[in-house]
Amino acid sequence: MACAQAGSAYQIQGRLNARLSAPASVSLFYGDSIASTAILDRGRFAFAGTVSRPQKALLIFNPKGRRPGPNPPPYPARGTAQGFYLEAATITVASPDSLSTATITGSPLTDDWLALQAALAPVKKLVDAMEQEFDRTASEKRRLPEFQQRRAAQQAAISAARVQTQAAFIRTHRNSPVSLDQLTLMSNTRGDRDSVVALLRALSPQLQLSGPARALAGKAAGSDAPRVGSLAPEFVLADPAGRLVSLADYAGKTVLLEFGASWCTDCRAHNAARAKAYAAFQKKGFDIINVSIDMPEERDKWARAVAADHPPGVHLLDSANPGQQAWARYHLEGVPQNFLVGPSGIIQGVNLYGDALLAALQRLLR
């Protein structure tokens, strides 16, 4: 049984295929770590404990009963995992076969979360179709500008649809912690302060006064968080040859500070659109600083990605100069993300892609 710190009590009663017994087990994860592991007895398992606040949790089935590591695996095997919300309730998990097909009852927040997943299903289909197209396309065709432009447009449409769905859910579930979790997720991936603040205000007064909501509000309104109209934080980073480059080196220019990574397909999908902007405005004082958040041990992958994609501008590795990491100074929690910095060092735009970037450059450099 799991026993946590003081908080609200929960119970989980599980029932899977009756043929499942020791050594088969089910592990409960929440708060990014393992809470407990229960050995199956004719398909039945149970957990009990306390949780400080409602939060997303994960059950993982292991047929061989081996105790998993301290953190949940990022990609559990098909049919072995089930997500839900852990809250002060008696929660029932029942399935005649795999854990992934289990029906969960007794958790109102899980009902909210499942409603959101159903609303996001059309978006997931678009993502799956886009990735299937990518897998079917030969590597040399993936580098063609028309393919990258089409993928960037698809990604932009998918992102807009996802955000629209999440925002609609938040506005109709004003008192649900699921809404607050989605809002936190949106703030991490979009970096859109105005949208985050507006949606925070859409939450119920009770939820707005919660600790997590106040923390998110403070983060969104933090005076040191870069935003349009603020001074872009300085940094010094190394390029592939080891030459140190600083933002101050570009004083007097309009610079797109683009954060990405070699493993981020969405980041690389925007390369063609940035190349178009670079070709159109380079002679007017526009330049691009590409900052990769790849780890030091991924330096070779980063160099190969740069060589394969040929994105315009200078390329810097954020982890190559400890203590100078730009991601911390720009409060990044996800990529892709960019900042358009004016000649005087003032941020003129955030997360500008495709036509939005072209429009901003036309306004600034006309």
Side-chain angles (χ1 to χ4, degrees):
M1 299 292 180
C3 292
Q5 299 294 322
S8 301
Y10 68 82
Q11 290 188 4
I12 301 174
Q13 300 292 332
R15 186 178 70 256
L16 303 178
N17 192 306
R19 294 193 299 271
L20 296 173
S21 289
S25 67
V26 172
S27 294
L28 170 66
F29 291 88
Y30 66 90
D32 296 327
S33 63
I34 186 171
S36 187
T37 295
I39 302 299
L40 291 176
D41 181 8
R42 289 172 291 182
R44 295 182 180 274
F45 64 91
F47 297 98
T50 57
V51 62
S52 59
R53 62 177 179 82
Q55 57 191 285
K56 188 75 188 301
L58 186 68
L59 293 171
I60 295 183
F61 169 71
N62 191 320
K64 297 183 179 180
R66 289 194 299 267
R67 182 180 176 85
N71 301 313
Y75 302 106
R78 182 181 296 274
T80 64
Q82 179 63 264
F84 69 105
Y85 262 79
L86 190 60
E87 57 181 310
T90 298
I91 302 169
T92 300
V93 181
S95 174
D97 42 62
S98 69
L99 184 59
S100 65
T101 61
T103 299
I104 298 179
T105 57
S107 168
L109 293 182
T110 299
D111 293 341
D112 288 350
W113 181 69
L114 291 174
L116 174 61
Q117 300 313 302
L120 286 170
V123 179
K124 185 178 184 303
K125 287 184 178 180
L126 293 175
V127 173
D128 291 343
M130 184 179 68
E131 294 308 317
Q132 289 169 8
E133 179 190 11
F134 184 85
D135 291 340
R136 291 193 304 265
T137 304
S139 58
E140 60 273 13
K141 291 187 177 181
R142 294 174 187 173
R143 293 192 288 268
L144 295 176
E146 54 266 31
F147 178 83
Q148 294 187 4
Q149 289 171 359
R150 183 170 70 256
R151 186 172 173 84
Q154 290 172 333
Q155 180 58 38
I158 289 171
S159 178
R162 180 184 292 112
V163 169
Q164 184 178 19
T165 302
Q166 290 172 312
F169 176 88
I170 290 168
R171 291 191 176 98
T172 56
H173 294 76
R174 300 175 60 244
N175 200 40
S176 175
V178 179
S179 291
L180 184 56
D181 287 349
Q182 289 300 304
L183 189 52
T184 300
L185 181 63
M186 290 171 65
S187 74
N188 289 345
T189 55
R190 299 181 67 223
D192 189 334
R193 174 181 175 272
D194 293 336
S195 294
V196 169
V197 171
L199 288 169
L200 271 170
R201 292 170 180 161
L203 299 177
S204 69
Q206 178 183 357
L207 197 54
Q208 287 186 48
L209 292 174
S210 68
R214 285 184 291 177
L216 183 57
K219 173 183 170 183
S223 60
D224 58 344
R227 63 176 69 95
V228 174
S230 68
L231 185 66
E234 179 59 280
F235 58 83
V236 180
L237 299 172
D239 68 7
R243 181 177 63 96
L244 294 180
V245 177
S246 72
L247 181 61
D249 295 338
Y250 290 79
K253 285 189 172 184
T254 296
V255 179
L256 181 68
L257 182 56
E258 183 69 40
F259 289 92
S262 64
W263 43 261
C264 175
T265 57
D266 293 341
C267 303
R268 297 171 70 174
H270 292 293
N271 283 338
R274 283 195 295 274
K276 180 180 179 181
Y278 186 77
F281 293 96
Q282 180 191 15
K283 293 182 179 179
K284 295 184 178 182
F286 174 61
D287 216 329
I288 300 176
I289 301 176
N290 300 279
V291 179
S292 171
I293 64 169
D294 283 276
M295 299 299 291
E297 59 269 22
E298 298 171 322
R299 184 185 185 94
D300 290 344
K301 292 182 180 178
W302 165 60
R304 287 197 298 269
V306 172
D309 296 351
H310 302 293
V314 67
H315 299 272
L316 308 176
L317 186 60
D318 202 20
S319 58
N321 195 15
Q324 292 287 340
Q325 279 88 348
W327 68 263
R329 299 185 178 195
Y330 282 80
H331 295 251
L332 259 66
E333 296 186 29
V335 288
Q337 191 163 175
N338 66 36
F339 299 84
L340 186 61
V341 182
S344 60
I346 302 299
I347 295 175
Q348 303 293 324
V350 177
N351 292 337
L352 300 172
Y353 296 98
D355 291 342
L357 175 59
L358 292 173
L361 292 173
Q362 182 65 41
R363 172 174 55 84
L364 294 170
L365 298 174
R366 60 176 179 268

